[in-house]
Amino acid sequence: MPLEMDDPEWSAGYLSDAHSGETLVDILGALPIFETLTWKELAQLERIVHRRWFVAGEMVIQAWIPRSGLFVVITGNVHVVRHDSDGTPMILDTLGPGTLLGEFAILDDSPRSSSIVAAEPSHLIGFFRPDLMDLVNTDPRLGFKILHRLAQIMSVHMQRVLGNLRESRETL
C-alpha cells in the first residue's frame, strides 16, 4: 500500500548524518523499539522509515487529528503541549532523544490528545502503520518482533501511568 505523501506529519526525504558518522541502521539499532532486530532486519526497516528534521517551534504532531504512525526523537527536544479552555498553550513535558511519540497511532488512527512541538532543532524518525502492515504481510516474523517490542514498551508505560494515578488518588 503506497503512502499518502501529502500527509503534513511525514516526509519521505532522506538526509544523511555524515557529520555524526552514524548510519541509519546504527541509529535504528540503538532505539528501544528496534533493539531486538538483527542487522539484516534493521537494513530492511531502513528502507521504510521516514526521517524529518524540525526547526524550533515547528509542529511535529497536531492534537485531535488522526494520524497513522509514530515518531522517535533522535536528536533535540520536543514539548508536549495542550491548550487550556481559553486556548492558551501549556507545556506538559519536554521529551528528548530515544523518546517514542504517538505509539498508539501505529495501532489505530484515533486522534492524538496532545500536540508535539519542536523545542529546538530536532531530528525524528517516523514509522507508518501502512508500512508496518505491509511488513506483517511480507515478513510476518519481523512484523511480529516489532509489534511485540512495541507492546512491551507500551505495557511498561501504562504501568507507570497507572502507578502515578494510584499515587495521585492516595494523595487526594
Side-chain angles (χ1 to χ4, degrees), residues 63-97:
W64 308 117
I65 295 180
R67 296 295 182 193
S68 63
L70 60 81
F71 277 113
V72 181
V73 180
I74 303 304
T75 62
N77 289 295
V78 298
H79 292 309
V80 179
V81 178
R82 288 232 175 120
H83 290 83
D84 63 16
S85 59
D86 70 356
T88 304
M90 299 180 314
I91 296 173
L92 302 178
D93 203 357
T94 300
L95 308 172

Side-chain angles (χ1 to χ4, degrees), residues 10-162:
W10 300 91
S11 170
Y14 175 84
L15 299 173
S16 69
D17 278 335
H19 64 280
S20 73
E22 283 187 302
T23 66
L24 183 53
V25 169
D26 292 329
I27 293 169
L28 292 171
L31 299 174
I33 189 170
F34 303 128
E35 69 187 4
T36 61
L37 304 183
T38 66
W39 287 106
K40 182 179 177 185
E41 291 167 334
L42 290 168
Q44 186 175 350
L45 187 63
E46 174 185 36
R47 293 188 295 272
I48 60 175
V49 297
H50 303 267
R51 300 173 75 167
R52 281 283 319 267
W53 283 260
F54 294 88
V55 297
E58 187 176 356
M59 182 75 64
V60 176
I61 294 171
Q62 187 172 344
W64 308 117
I65 295 180
R67 296 295 182 193
S68 63
L70 60 81
F71 277 113
V72 181
V73 180
I74 303 304
T75 62
N77 289 295
V78 298
H79 292 309
V80 179
V81 178
R82 288 232 175 120
H83 290 83
D84 63 16
S85 59
D86 70 356
T88 304
M90 299 180 314
I91 296 173
L92 302 178
D93 203 357
T94 300
L95 308 172
T99 305
L100 192 61
L101 308 170
E103 59 271 25
F104 285 94
I106 200 82
L107 303 174
D108 69 20
D109 63 355
S110 60
R112 300 175 195 260
S113 59
S114 300
S115 294
I116 305 292
V117 178
E120 61 189 34
S122 302
H123 171 207
L124 287 81
I125 290 179
F127 188 42
F128 276 111
R129 183 175 359 97
D131 291 327
L132 177 60
M133 294 303 106
D134 285 346
L135 194 58
V136 166
N137 288 326
T138 59
D139 190 341
R141 185 173 186 278
L142 177 54
F144 173 79
K145 284 175 76 172
I146 293 169
L147 284 169
H148 184 255
R149 184 65 185 127
L150 180 62
Q152 290 173 325
I153 291 168
M154 291 173 73
S155 175
V156 168
H157 177 72
M158 293 306 292
Q159 289 171 16
R160 189 176 319 119
V161 167
L162 288 173

